[in-house]
Amino acid sequence: IIEAILERMDLKLAIHAKIAANARPDALVTTNTSGLSIAGMTKGLPLEYRRRFFGTHFFNPPRYMRLLELIPTPDTEPALLKSFGEFGEAVLGKGIVLAKDTPGFVANRIGCFDMQQVALLMIEEGLSIDEVDAITGPAIGRPKSATFRLGDIVGVDLMAQMGRNLRAALQQDPQIAVFRQVDFIEDMVKRGWWGEKKSQGFYQRVKTEKGRQILTLDYKTMEYRPQQKPQFASLEAVSKISNRAERIRTLCAAADKAGVFAWKHLSSVLCYAADRLTEIADDVDTVDNAMKWGYNWELGPFEIWDALGVRETADRLTREGRAVPAVVRALLAVGKTSFYEER
């Protein structure tokens, strides 16, 4: 039995009470959710039901996206979870990630932090949506959709909803401020500018005498204007570098606005992933695969740590007066300088 109703806990609780009362005793039951508590959906239901229940977070659209997060509860029967994971991999062709039952699981916990941090940093640095998408796309090992084009594809309304869900669930997160409301995005939601499904969001396609034209939202005036090609020397330089690790290192070392933005953004995401590692996953490979399969990143956070140099990145954070994550300090303390080793 596959449940994939609206992302509201009250509705989830109600429907699973009905399923538990009517399902066959050998039925396997899963819920598809992008971040609600899996164990919370079956509170008070019989243990026999709870042992056959777990989360299956298919990334959207499922026919294209490889990631499938499996989220067990303390009562889930391990053999059933293992069997379903084998089915998901062999029959559905999915990349399976075993996530812990924490808000946003693995991919959305990191991915939502990433997108929120980009929006806040853009406002802080005074950059435009065009400029930020030029920086946060292939230049740092991400798809051409970058940040805001991705937001239009996912849905601006869903971005805002995920932000609200995580704000409510992550009150103890040291970085809770990053999940705060972004005013211009909330304004977009109220206006119905929800992205591609509404034909306008961060970008808008319009018909002109010369054909179709793409306009970009100016978040300061909430008006659309013609797209502008960003002019950053560092982006021009790294576009000629085919090696992705070298490309990211070179951009983060650049002193122009693009280089400064790339470093501030990536270093924040890398630190967040490292700080939250043991909370959301069992190992670095789980986090990296989740971001590569779910968000189409070329390199996961811990692969980027290695690309930039773990010791070099830790030293730079220290020079800037920023905290070095405990997992990084522990790695360096035992004489290791990378999260992955070639054998």
mmCIF file with all atom_site columns, all heavy atoms in Angstrom, residues 27-52:
data_model
loop_
_atom_site.group_PDB
_atom_site.id
_atom_site.type_symbol
_atom_site.label_atom_id
_atom_site.label_alt_id
_atom_site.label_comp_id
_atom_site.label_asym_id
_atom_site.label_entity_id
_atom_site.label_seq_id
_atom_site.pdbx_PDB_ins_code
_atom_site.Cartn_x
_atom_site.Cartn_y
_atom_site.Cartn_z
_atom_site.occupancy
_atom_site.B_iso_or_equiv
_atom_site.pdbx_formal_charge
_atom_site.auth_seq_id
_atom_site.auth_comp_id
_atom_site.auth_asym_id
_atom_site.auth_atom_id
_atom_site.pdbx_PDB_model_num
ATOM 1   N N   . ALA A 1 27 ? 0.245  -6.907 4.551  1.00 0.00 ? 27 ALA A N   1
ATOM 2   C CA  . ALA A 1 27 ? 0.475  -5.794 3.628  1.00 0.00 ? 27 ALA A CA  1
ATOM 3   C C   . ALA A 1 27 ? 1.656  -4.937 4.071  1.00 0.00 ? 27 ALA A C   1
ATOM 4   O O   . ALA A 1 27 ? 1.782  -4.592 5.246  1.00 0.00 ? 27 ALA A O   1
ATOM 5   C CB  . ALA A 1 27 ? -0.783 -4.939 3.523  1.00 0.00 ? 27 ALA A CB  1
ATOM 6   N N   . LEU A 1 28 ? 2.500  -4.590 3.123  1.00 0.00 ? 28 LEU A N   1
ATOM 7   C CA  . LEU A 1 28 ? 3.585  -3.647 3.355  1.00 0.00 ? 28 LEU A CA  1
ATOM 8   C C   . LEU A 1 28 ? 3.025  -2.255 3.102  1.00 0.00 ? 28 LEU A C   1
ATOM 9   O O   . LEU A 1 28 ? 2.360  -2.029 2.088  1.00 0.00 ? 28 LEU A O   1
ATOM 10  C CB  . LEU A 1 28 ? 4.734  -3.941 2.386  1.00 0.00 ? 28 LEU A CB  1
ATOM 11  C CG  . LEU A 1 28 ? 6.065  -3.239 2.607  1.00 0.00 ? 28 LEU A CG  1
ATOM 12  C CD1 . LEU A 1 28 ? 6.692  -3.704 3.902  1.00 0.00 ? 28 LEU A CD1 1
ATOM 13  C CD2 . LEU A 1 28 ? 6.996  -3.547 1.437  1.00 0.00 ? 28 LEU A CD2 1
ATOM 14  N N   . VAL A 1 29 ? 3.243  -1.320 4.005  1.00 0.00 ? 29 VAL A N   1
ATOM 15  C CA  . VAL A 1 29 ? 2.667  0.018  3.881  1.00 0.00 ? 29 VAL A CA  1
ATOM 16  C C   . VAL A 1 29 ? 3.774  1.060  3.905  1.00 0.00 ? 29 VAL A C   1
ATOM 17  O O   . VAL A 1 29 ? 4.642  1.037  4.784  1.00 0.00 ? 29 VAL A O   1
ATOM 18  C CB  . VAL A 1 29 ? 1.665  0.318  5.020  1.00 0.00 ? 29 VAL A CB  1
ATOM 19  C CG1 . VAL A 1 29 ? 0.973  1.664  4.780  1.00 0.00 ? 29 VAL A CG1 1
ATOM 20  C CG2 . VAL A 1 29 ? 0.640  -0.796 5.143  1.00 0.00 ? 29 VAL A CG2 1
ATOM 21  N N   . THR A 1 30 ? 3.763  1.977  2.935  1.00 0.00 ? 30 THR A N   1
ATOM 22  C CA  . THR A 1 30 ? 4.759  3.053  2.923  1.00 0.00 ? 30 THR A CA  1
ATOM 23  C C   . THR A 1 30 ? 4.069  4.399  2.792  1.00 0.00 ? 30 THR A C   1
ATOM 24  O O   . THR A 1 30 ? 2.949  4.509  2.283  1.00 0.00 ? 30 THR A O   1
ATOM 25  C CB  . THR A 1 30 ? 5.772  2.896  1.767  1.00 0.00 ? 30 THR A CB  1
ATOM 26  O OG1 . THR A 1 30 ? 5.146  3.280  0.531  1.00 0.00 ? 30 THR A OG1 1
ATOM 27  C CG2 . THR A 1 30 ? 6.296  1.487  1.671  1.00 0.00 ? 30 THR A CG2 1
ATOM 28  N N   . THR A 1 31 ? 4.750  5.434  3.250  1.00 0.00 ? 31 THR A N   1
ATOM 29  C CA  . THR A 1 31 ? 4.278  6.803  3.073  1.00 0.00 ? 31 THR A CA  1
ATOM 30  C C   . THR A 1 31 ? 5.309  7.554  2.258  1.00 0.00 ? 31 THR A C   1
ATOM 31  O O   . THR A 1 31 ? 6.514  7.389  2.460  1.00 0.00 ? 31 THR A O   1
ATOM 32  C CB  . THR A 1 31 ? 4.059  7.511  4.421  1.00 0.00 ? 31 THR A CB  1
ATOM 33  O OG1 . THR A 1 31 ? 3.646  8.875  4.173  1.00 0.00 ? 31 THR A OG1 1
ATOM 34  C CG2 . THR A 1 31 ? 5.321  7.547  5.264  1.00 0.00 ? 31 THR A CG2 1
ATOM 35  N N   . ASN A 1 32 ? 4.842  8.366  1.321  1.00 0.00 ? 32 ASN A N   1
ATOM 36  C CA  . ASN A 1 32 ? 5.746  9.229  0.568  1.00 0.00 ? 32 ASN A CA  1
ATOM 37  C C   . ASN A 1 32 ? 5.624  10.641 1.126  1.00 0.00 ? 32 ASN A C   1
ATOM 38  O O   . ASN A 1 32 ? 4.555  11.244 1.077  1.00 0.00 ? 32 ASN A O   1
ATOM 39  C CB  . ASN A 1 32 ? 5.408  9.226  -0.925 1.00 0.00 ? 32 ASN A CB  1
ATOM 40  C CG  . ASN A 1 32 ? 6.447  10.001 -1.726 1.00 0.00 ? 32 ASN A CG  1
ATOM 41  O OD1 . ASN A 1 32 ? 7.561  9.548  -1.917 1.00 0.00 ? 32 ASN A OD1 1
ATOM 42  N ND2 . ASN A 1 32 ? 6.080  11.184 -2.184 1.00 0.00 ? 32 ASN A ND2 1
ATOM 43  N N   . THR A 1 33 ? 6.694  11.135 1.685  1.00 0.00 ? 33 THR A N   1
ATOM 44  C CA  . THR A 1 33 ? 6.719  12.480 2.245  1.00 0.00 ? 33 THR A CA  1
ATOM 45  C C   . THR A 1 33 ? 8.106  13.050 2.063  1.00 0.00 ? 33 THR A C   1
ATOM 46  O O   . THR A 1 33 ? 9.090  12.312 2.030  1.00 0.00 ? 33 THR A O   1
ATOM 47  C CB  . THR A 1 33 ? 6.336  12.483 3.742  1.00 0.00 ? 33 THR A CB  1
ATOM 48  O OG1 . THR A 1 33 ? 6.543  13.799 4.281  1.00 0.00 ? 33 THR A OG1 1
ATOM 49  C CG2 . THR A 1 33 ? 7.178  11.501 4.536  1.00 0.00 ? 33 THR A CG2 1
ATOM 50  N N   . SER A 1 34 ? 8.182  14.358 1.957  1.00 0.00 ? 34 SER A N   1
ATOM 51  C CA  . SER A 1 34 ? 9.485  14.996 1.766  1.00 0.00 ? 34 SER A CA  1
ATOM 52  C C   . SER A 1 34 ? 10.104 15.461 3.076  1.00 0.00 ? 34 SER A C   1
ATOM 53  O O   . SER A 1 34 ? 11.155 16.088 3.066  1.00 0.00 ? 34 SER A O   1
ATOM 54  C CB  . SER A 1 34 ? 9.364  16.181 0.805  1.00 0.00 ? 34 SER A CB  1
ATOM 55  O OG  . SER A 1 34 ? 8.412  17.106 1.286  1.00 0.00 ? 34 SER A OG  1
ATOM 56  N N   . GLY A 1 35 ? 9.455  15.157 4.206  1.00 0.00 ? 35 GLY A N   1
ATOM 57  C CA  . GLY A 1 35 ? 10.093 15.578 5.443  1.00 0.00 ? 35 GLY A CA  1
ATOM 58  C C   . GLY A 1 35 ? 9.319  15.394 6.730  1.00 0.00 ? 35 GLY A C   1
ATOM 59  O O   . GLY A 1 35 ? 9.841  15.640 7.806  1.00 0.00 ? 35 GLY A O   1
ATOM 60  N N   . LEU A 1 36 ? 8.061  14.952 6.653  1.00 0.00 ? 36 LEU A N   1
ATOM 61  C CA  . LEU A 1 36 ? 7.288  14.757 7.883  1.00 0.00 ? 36 LEU A CA  1
ATOM 62  C C   . LEU A 1 36 ? 7.794  13.535 8.647  1.00 0.00 ? 36 LEU A C   1
ATOM 63  O O   . LEU A 1 36 ? 8.355  12.609 8.064  1.00 0.00 ? 36 LEU A O   1
ATOM 64  C CB  . LEU A 1 36 ? 5.810  14.576 7.554  1.00 0.00 ? 36 LEU A CB  1
ATOM 65  C CG  . LEU A 1 36 ? 5.095  15.786 6.932  1.00 0.00 ? 36 LEU A CG  1
ATOM 66  C CD1 . LEU A 1 36 ? 3.662  15.415 6.581  1.00 0.00 ? 36 LEU A CD1 1
ATOM 67  C CD2 . LEU A 1 36 ? 5.117  16.985 7.868  1.00 0.00 ? 36 LEU A CD2 1
ATOM 68  N N   . SER A 1 37 ? 7.585  13.529 9.959  1.00 0.00 ? 37 SER A N   1
ATOM 69  C CA  . SER A 1 37 ? 8.039  12.421 10.797 1.00 0.00 ? 37 SER A CA  1
ATOM 70  C C   . SER A 1 37 ? 7.339  11.121 10.420 1.00 0.00 ? 37 SER A C   1
ATOM 71  O O   . SER A 1 37 ? 6.109  11.039 10.421 1.00 0.00 ? 37 SER A O   1
ATOM 72  C CB  . SER A 1 37 ? 7.750  12.732 12.270 1.00 0.00 ? 37 SER A CB  1
ATOM 73  O OG  . SER A 1 37 ? 7.944  11.588 13.066 1.00 0.00 ? 37 SER A OG  1
ATOM 74  N N   . ILE A 1 38 ? 8.137  10.100 10.104 1.00 0.00 ? 38 ILE A N   1
ATOM 75  C CA  . ILE A 1 38 ? 7.583  8.804  9.716  1.00 0.00 ? 38 ILE A CA  1
ATOM 76  C C   . ILE A 1 38 ? 6.964  8.109  10.934 1.00 0.00 ? 38 ILE A C   1
ATOM 77  O O   . ILE A 1 38 ? 5.827  7.649  10.892 1.00 0.00 ? 38 ILE A O   1
ATOM 78  C CB  . ILE A 1 38 ? 8.675  7.908  9.091  1.00 0.00 ? 38 ILE A CB  1
ATOM 79  C CG1 . ILE A 1 38 ? 9.361  8.643  7.926  1.00 0.00 ? 38 ILE A CG1 1
ATOM 80  C CG2 . ILE A 1 38 ? 8.081  6.592  8.600  1.00 0.00 ? 38 ILE A CG2 1
ATOM 81  C CD1 . ILE A 1 38 ? 8.459  9.058  6.812  1.00 0.00 ? 38 ILE A CD1 1
ATOM 82  N N   . ALA A 1 39 ? 7.718  8.056  12.020 1.00 0.00 ? 39 ALA A N   1
ATOM 83  C CA  . ALA A 1 39 ? 7.206  7.397  13.232 1.00 0.00 ? 39 ALA A CA  1
ATOM 84  C C   . ALA A 1 39 ? 5.969  8.115  13.757 1.00 0.00 ? 39 ALA A C   1
ATOM 85  O O   . ALA A 1 39 ? 5.056  7.486  14.310 1.00 0.00 ? 39 ALA A O   1
ATOM 86  C CB  . ALA A 1 39 ? 8.296  7.358  14.298 1.00 0.00 ? 39 ALA A CB  1
ATOM 87  N N   . GLY A 1 40 ? 5.907  9.438  13.558 1.00 0.00 ? 40 GLY A N   1
ATOM 88  C CA  . GLY A 1 40 ? 4.786  10.217 14.061 1.00 0.00 ? 40 GLY A CA  1
ATOM 89  C C   . GLY A 1 40 ? 3.469  9.888  13.399 1.00 0.00 ? 40 GLY A C   1
ATOM 90  O O   . GLY A 1 40 ? 2.396  10.156 13.951 1.00 0.00 ? 40 GLY A O   1
ATOM 91  N N   . MET A 1 41 ? 3.530  9.296  12.194 1.00 0.00 ? 41 MET A N   1
ATOM 92  C CA  . MET A 1 41 ? 2.294  8.997  11.456 1.00 0.00 ? 41 MET A CA  1
ATOM 93  C C   . MET A 1 41 ? 1.545  7.791  11.998 1.00 0.00 ? 41 MET A C   1
ATOM 94  O O   . MET A 1 41 ? 0.376  7.598  11.682 1.00 0.00 ? 41 MET A O   1
ATOM 95  C CB  . MET A 1 41 ? 2.618  8.756  9.972  1.00 0.00 ? 41 MET A CB  1
ATOM 96  C CG  . MET A 1 41 ? 3.110  9.980  9.246  1.00 0.00 ? 41 MET A CG  1
ATOM 97  S SD  . MET A 1 41 ? 3.440  9.584  7.524  1.00 0.00 ? 41 MET A SD  1
ATOM 98  C CE  . MET A 1 41 ? 4.477  10.994 7.090  1.00 0.00 ? 41 MET A CE  1
ATOM 99  N N   . THR A 1 42 ? 2.232  6.937  12.750 1.00 0.00 ? 42 THR A N   1
ATOM 100 C CA  . THR A 1 42 ? 1.593  5.694  13.207 1.00 0.00 ? 42 THR A CA  1
ATOM 101 C C   . THR A 1 42 ? 1.526  5.594  14.731 1.00 0.00 ? 42 THR A C   1
ATOM 102 O O   . THR A 1 42 ? 1.393  4.500  15.279 1.00 0.00 ? 42 THR A O   1
ATOM 103 C CB  . THR A 1 42 ? 2.347  4.481  12.640 1.00 0.00 ? 42 THR A CB  1
ATOM 104 O OG1 . THR A 1 42 ? 3.731  4.566  13.015 1.00 0.00 ? 42 THR A OG1 1
ATOM 105 C CG2 . THR A 1 42 ? 2.237  4.426  11.128 1.00 0.00 ? 42 THR A CG2 1
ATOM 106 N N   . LYS A 1 43 ? 1.627  6.730  15.401 1.00 0.00 ? 43 LYS A N   1
ATOM 107 C CA  . LYS A 1 43 ? 1.527  6.719  16.863 1.00 0.00 ? 43 LYS A CA  1
ATOM 108 C C   . LYS A 1 43 ? 0.190  6.118  17.292 1.00 0.00 ? 43 LYS A C   1
ATOM 109 O O   . LYS A 1 43 ? -0.859 6.476  16.775 1.00 0.00 ? 43 LYS A O   1
ATOM 110 C CB  . LYS A 1 43 ? 1.636  8.150  17.407 1.00 0.00 ? 43 LYS A CB  1
ATOM 111 C CG  . LYS A 1 43 ? 3.048  8.660  17.507 1.00 0.00 ? 43 LYS A CG  1
ATOM 112 C CD  . LYS A 1 43 ? 3.077  10.046 18.144 1.00 0.00 ? 43 LYS A CD  1
ATOM 113 C CE  . LYS A 1 43 ? 4.499  10.554 18.294 1.00 0.00 ? 43 LYS A CE  1
ATOM 114 N NZ  . LYS A 1 43 ? 4.527  11.929 18.850 1.00 0.00 ? 43 LYS A NZ  1
ATOM 115 N N   . GLY A 1 44 ? 0.261  5.185  18.234 1.00 0.00 ? 44 GLY A N   1
ATOM 116 C CA  . GLY A 1 44 ? -0.954 4.584  18.765 1.00 0.00 ? 44 GLY A CA  1
ATOM 117 C C   . GLY A 1 44 ? -1.508 3.446  17.945 1.00 0.00 ? 44 GLY A C   1
ATOM 118 O O   . GLY A 1 44 ? -2.482 2.803  18.363 1.00 0.00 ? 44 GLY A O   1
ATOM 119 N N   . LEU A 1 45 ? -0.935 3.189  16.775 1.00 0.00 ? 45 LEU A N   1
ATOM 120 C CA  . LEU A 1 45 ? -1.414 2.080  15.950 1.00 0.00 ? 45 LEU A CA  1
ATOM 121 C C   . LEU A 1 45 ? -0.735 0.779  16.377 1.00 0.00 ? 45 LEU A C   1
ATOM 122 O O   . LEU A 1 45 ? 0.336  0.800  16.988 1.00 0.00 ? 45 LEU A O   1
ATOM 123 C CB  . LEU A 1 45 ? -1.152 2.365  14.466 1.00 0.00 ? 45 LEU A CB  1
ATOM 124 C CG  . LEU A 1 45 ? -1.910 3.580  13.892 1.00 0.00 ? 45 LEU A CG  1
ATOM 125 C CD1 . LEU A 1 45 ? -1.597 3.743  12.420 1.00 0.00 ? 45 LEU A CD1 1
ATOM 126 C CD2 . LEU A 1 45 ? -3.416 3.435  14.111 1.00 0.00 ? 45 LEU A CD2 1
ATOM 127 N N   . PRO A 1 46 ? -1.314 -0.376 16.061 1.00 0.00 ? 46 PRO A N   1
ATOM 128 C CA  . PRO A 1 46 ? -0.761 -1.656 16.517 1.00 0.00 ? 46 PRO A CA  1
ATOM 129 C C   . PRO A 1 46 ? 0.676  -1.881 16.062 1.00 0.00 ? 46 PRO A C   1
ATOM 130 O O   . PRO A 1 46 ? 1.064  -1.477 14.958 1.00 0.00 ? 46 PRO A O   1
ATOM 131 C CB  . PRO A 1 46 ? -1.703 -2.689 15.882 1.00 0.00 ? 46 PRO A CB  1
ATOM 132 C CG  . PRO A 1 46 ? -2.970 -1.941 15.631 1.00 0.00 ? 46 PRO A CG  1
ATOM 133 C CD  . PRO A 1 46 ? -2.564 -0.547 15.306 1.00 0.00 ? 46 PRO A CD  1
ATOM 134 N N   . LEU A 1 47 ? 1.457  -2.545 16.907 1.00 0.00 ? 47 LEU A N   1
ATOM 135 C CA  . LEU A 1 47 ? 2.845  -2.852 16.583 1.00 0.00 ? 47 LEU A CA  1
ATOM 136 C C   . LEU A 1 47 ? 2.945  -3.653 15.293 1.00 0.00 ? 47 LEU A C   1
ATOM 137 O O   . LEU A 1 47 ? 3.860  -3.450 14.493 1.00 0.00 ? 47 LEU A O   1
ATOM 138 C CB  . LEU A 1 47 ? 3.498  -3.632 17.730 1.00 0.00 ? 47 LEU A CB  1
ATOM 139 C CG  . LEU A 1 47 ? 4.943  -4.098 17.491 1.00 0.00 ? 47 LEU A CG  1
ATOM 140 C CD1 . LEU A 1 47 ? 5.862  -2.911 17.236 1.00 0.00 ? 47 LEU A CD1 1
ATOM 141 C CD2 . LEU A 1 47 ? 5.437  -4.930 18.672 1.00 0.00 ? 47 LEU A CD2 1
ATOM 142 N N   . GLU A 1 48 ? 2.014  -4.566 15.064 1.00 0.00 ? 48 GLU A N   1
ATOM 143 C CA  . GLU A 1 48 ? 2.043  -5.389 13.852 1.00 0.00 ? 48 GLU A CA  1
ATOM 144 C C   . GLU A 1 48 ? 1.951  -4.533 12.588 1.00 0.00 ? 48 GLU A C   1
ATOM 145 O O   . GLU A 1 48 ? 2.494  -4.883 11.549 1.00 0.00 ? 48 GLU A O   1
ATOM 146 C CB  . GLU A 1 48 ? 0.891  -6.407 13.885 1.00 0.00 ? 48 GLU A CB  1
ATOM 147 C CG  . GLU A 1 48 ? 1.031  -7.546 12.897 1.00 0.00 ? 48 GLU A CG  1
ATOM 148 C CD  . GLU A 1 48 ? 2.347  -8.298 13.018 1.00 0.00 ? 48 GLU A CD  1
ATOM 149 O OE1 . GLU A 1 48 ? 2.867  -8.425 14.151 1.00 0.00 ? 48 GLU A OE1 1
ATOM 150 O OE2 . GLU A 1 48 ? 2.869  -8.744 11.974 1.00 0.00 ? 48 GLU A OE2 1
ATOM 151 N N   . TYR A 1 49 ? 1.245  -3.408 12.699 1.00 0.00 ? 49 TYR A N   1
ATOM 152 C CA  . TYR A 1 49 ? 1.164  -2.453 11.573 1.00 0.00 ? 49 TYR A CA  1
ATOM 153 C C   . TYR A 1 49 ? 2.459  -1.659 11.473 1.00 0.00 ? 49 TYR A C   1
ATOM 154 O O   . TYR A 1 49 ? 3.005  -1.478 10.377 1.00 0.00 ? 49 TYR A O   1
ATOM 155 C CB  . TYR A 1 49 ? -0.024 -1.519 11.777 1.00 0.00 ? 49 TYR A CB  1
ATOM 156 C CG  . TYR A 1 49 ? -0.253 -0.540 10.633 1.00 0.00 ? 49 TYR A CG  1
ATOM 157 C CD1 . TYR A 1 49 ? -0.890 -0.947 9.465  1.00 0.00 ? 49 TYR A CD1 1
ATOM 158 C CD2 . TYR A 1 49 ? 0.153  0.791  10.737 1.00 0.00 ? 49 TYR A CD2 1
ATOM 159 C CE1 . TYR A 1 49 ? -1.116 -0.057 8.425  1.00 0.00 ? 49 TYR A CE1 1
ATOM 160 C CE2 . TYR A 1 49 ? -0.070 1.687  9.698  1.00 0.00 ? 49 TYR A CE2 1
ATOM 161 C CZ  . TYR A 1 49 ? -0.704 1.258  8.540  1.00 0.00 ? 49 TYR A CZ  1
ATOM 162 O OH  . TYR A 1 49 ? -0.925 2.143  7.505  1.00 0.00 ? 49 TYR A OH  1
ATOM 163 N N   . ARG A 1 50 ? 2.964  -1.203 12.607 1.00 0.00 ? 50 ARG A N   1
ATOM 164 C CA  . ARG A 1 50 ? 4.147  -0.356 12.615 1.00 0.00 ? 50 ARG A CA  1
ATOM 165 C C   . ARG A 1 50 ? 5.385  -1.092 12.092 1.00 0.00 ? 50 ARG A C   1
ATOM 166 O O   . ARG A 1 50 ? 6.244  -0.480 11.471 1.00 0.00 ? 50 ARG A O   1
ATOM 167 C CB  . ARG A 1 50 ? 4.420  0.185  14.020 1.00 0.00 ? 50 ARG A CB  1
ATOM 168 C CG  . ARG A 1 50 ? 3.267  1.015  14.591 1.00 0.00 ? 50 ARG A CG  1
ATOM 169 C CD  . ARG A 1 50 ? 3.725  1.911  15.724 1.00 0.00 ? 50 ARG A CD  1
ATOM 170 N NE  . ARG A 1 50 ? 4.449  1.206  16.766 1.00 0.00 ? 50 ARG A NE  1
ATOM 171 C CZ  . ARG A 1 50 ? 3.907  0.649  17.828 1.00 0.00 ? 50 ARG A CZ  1
ATOM 172 N NH1 . ARG A 1 50 ? 2.579  0.678  17.988 1.00 0.00 ? 50 ARG A NH1 1
ATOM 173 N NH2 . ARG A 1 50 ? 4.650  0.059  18.754 1.00 0.00 ? 50 ARG A NH2 1
ATOM 174 N N   . ARG A 1 51 ? 5.461  -2.416 12.321 1.00 0.00 ? 51 ARG A N   1
ATOM 175 C CA  . ARG A 1 51 ? 6.637  -3.152 11.872 1.00 0.00 ? 51 ARG A CA  1
ATOM 176 C C   . ARG A 1 51 ? 6.664  -3.306 10.344 1.00 0.00 ? 51 ARG A C   1
ATOM 177 O O   . ARG A 1 51 ? 7.699  -3.576 9.758  1.00 0.00 ? 51 ARG A O   1
ATOM 178 C CB  . ARG A 1 51 ? 6.716  -4.525 12.545 1.00 0.00 ? 51 ARG A CB  1
ATOM 179 C CG  . ARG A 1 51 ? 5.605  -5.485 12.211 1.00 0.00 ? 51 ARG A CG  1
ATOM 180 C CD  . ARG A 1 51 ? 5.826  -6.867 12.832 1.00 0.00 ? 51 ARG A CD  1
ATOM 181 N NE  . ARG A 1 51 ? 6.902  -7.559 12.146 1.00 0.00 ? 51 ARG A NE  1
ATOM 182 C CZ  . ARG A 1 51 ? 6.721  -8.279 11.026 1.00 0.00 ? 51 ARG A CZ  1
ATOM 183 N NH1 . ARG A 1 51 ? 5.524  -8.376 10.488 1.00 0.00 ? 51 ARG A NH1 1
ATOM 184 N NH2 . ARG A 1 51 ? 7.740  -8.894 10.477 1.00 0.00 ? 51 ARG A NH2 1
ATOM 185 N N   . ARG A 1 52 ? 5.514  -3.122 9.691  1.00 0.00 ? 52 ARG A N   1
ATOM 186 C CA  . ARG A 1 52 ? 5.427  -3.250 8.237  1.00 0.00 ? 52 ARG A CA  1
ATOM 187 C C   . ARG A 1 52 ? 5.339  -1.890 7.563  1.00 0.00 ? 52 ARG A C   1
ATOM 188 O O   . ARG A 1 52 ? 4.986  -1.772 6.388  1.00 0.00 ? 52 ARG A O   1
ATOM 189 C CB  . ARG A 1 52 ? 4.195  -4.085 7.863  1.00 0.00 ? 52 ARG A CB  1
ATOM 190 C CG  . ARG A 1 52 ? 4.259  -5.525 8.321  1.00 0.00 ? 52 ARG A CG  1
ATOM 191 C CD  . ARG A 1 52 ? 3.014  -6.323 7.950  1.00 0.00 ? 52 ARG A CD  1
ATOM 192 N NE  . ARG A 1 52 ? 1.870  -6.016 8.819  1.00 0.00 ? 52 ARG A NE  1
ATOM 193 C CZ  . ARG A 1 52 ? 0.819  -5.309 8.436  1.00 0.00 ? 52 ARG A CZ  1
ATOM 194 N NH1 . ARG A 1 52 ? 0.743  -4.823 7.222  1.00 0.00 ? 52 ARG A NH1 1
ATOM 195 N NH2 . ARG A 1 52 ? -0.183 -5.086 9.291  1.00 0.00 ? 52 ARG A NH2 1
#
